[in-house]
Amino acid sequence: AQKITQTQPGMFVQEKEAVTLDCTYDTSDPSYGLFWYKQPSSGEMIFLIYQGSYDQQNATEGRYSLNFQKARKSANLVISASQLGDSAMYLCAMREANTDKLIFGTGTRLQVFP
Amino acid sequence: GAVVSQHPSRVICKSGTSVKIECRSLDFQATTMFWYRQFPKQSLMLMATSNEGSKATYEQGVEKDKFLINHASLTLSTLTVTSAHPEDSSFYICSASGTDHEKLFFGSGTQLSVL
């Protein structure tokens, strides 16, 4: 069965510093997609970044980058130059092959302090 | 970009009543939409897959008679919580994919509180 694991329930980072949020996954399908979403206290889901299993390069979107290590089955999110507005819950998710159904990890609550 | 609209954003109801939540894709057609549930400080759990023109597919442990899903058009899926009870109080959120399957778009969510 497919599974997403986020082992950090909470993380703290100082403003302007970089932070890495961990995500490991388990699947037997060769084709899959990995997502990171930001969920502020309002509950909305904000798409951050996507990595396909066949993508050769790590995905980047502005201050967000995904450290994709396929052999280790990890897809860590790196946020550079943290801002106070980055404080939120961060959810890692995997899309099953041939479907748009997402399986989510338990999330990491990030707190950015001045 | 693609937008998914979800209404209402918040609803408070008495125990035993039914509540309908709507999820609309505003500028694209969505043959498939997904309904998730999120308890406080927990992650999103998939409840069901809503398929346009056919029956929804429910995840294990989700009562299909309790959570009625209708996907009558390519832009609208509804979730009805029937005979709601306090334990149904939760955050419900829908998602849909557009033509770019690298992005899945979420509605803004509905906070249901059953008294």
Side-chain angles (χ1 to χ4, degrees):
Chain A
Q2 298 186 330
K3 187 178 179 181
I4 289 279
T5 303
Q6 293 180 256
T7 58
Q8 306 155 315
M11 288 283 285
F12 289 89
V13 65
Q14 190 168 29
E15 198 177 8
K16 299 180 184 178
E17 296 294 312
V19 63
T20 298
L21 307 183
D22 295 340
C23 175
T24 57
Y25 60 93
D26 190 20
T27 180
S28 57
D29 289 316
S31 177
Y32 52 88
L34 297 159
F35 298 76
W36 276 93
Y37 285 88
K38 174 184 177 181
Q39 188 180 39
S41 56
S42 61
E44 64 179 312
M45 293 285 285
I46 302 170
F47 168 80
L48 296 179
I49 198 165
Y50 167 84
Q51 180 85 42
S53 59
Y54 294 118
D55 293 343
Q56 296 294 318
Q57 294 186 334
N58 287 345
T60 61
E61 291 280 355
R63 294 187 298 112
Y64 305 106
S65 60
L66 199 151
N67 184 1
F68 182 45
Q69 299 194 31
K70 197 169 183 177
R72 294 184 179 183
K73 293 189 175 179
S74 73
N76 298 341
L77 176 70
V78 180
I79 304 175
S80 62
S82 297
Q83 302 172 357
L84 295 177
D86 293 336
S87 295
M89 173 73 85
Y90 288 80
L91 294 162
C92 180
M94 178 168 60
R95 183 180 64 204
E96 295 184 345
N98 302 316
T99 179
D100 288 325
K101 182 164 68 172
L102 292 181
I103 300 168
F104 284 88
T106 50
T108 296
R109 187 166 296 279
L110 177 67
Q111 293 273 18
V112 181
F113 60 93
Chain B
V3 177
V4 174
S5 174
Q6 185 173 343
H7 293 282
S9 58
R10 182 177 293 273
V11 59
I12 301 172
C13 68
K14 292 182 179 180
S15 186
T17 60
S18 294
V19 176
K20 180 185 282 188
I21 302 169
E22 291 189 350
C23 182
R24 293 180 184 271
S25 56
L26 294 185
D27 52 359
F28 66 100
Q29 293 183 333
T31 56
T32 304
M33 292 186 178
F34 300 90
W35 287 96
Y36 294 85
R37 180 176 183 175
Q38 186 179 31
F39 289 109
K41 302 192 178 190
Q42 294 188 25
S43 189
L44 275 70
M45 296 297 294
L46 180 66
M47 298 175 66
T49 303
S50 173
N51 305 299
E52 187 269 334
S54 64
K55 291 183 179 179
T57 305
Y58 290 82
E59 296 298 302
Q60 190 174 7
V62 178
E63 300 176 61
K64 56 184 68 178
D65 294 331
K66 174 77 171 176
F67 300 99
L68 300 179
I69 291 173
N70 184 278
H71 196 152
S73 76
L74 286 171
T75 59
L76 175 63
S77 174
T78 60
L79 168 68
T80 301
V81 183
T82 62
S83 187
H85 290 284
E87 58 266 29
D88 298 324
S89 298
S90 185
F91 186 71
Y92 295 87
I93 192 165
C94 66
S95 76
S97 64
T99 54
D100 180 1
H101 287 267
E102 292 187 358
K103 293 183 180 179
L104 295 175
F105 300 95
F106 282 81
S108 52
T110 299
Q111 182 64 52
L112 171 63
S113 299
V114 185
L115 305 178

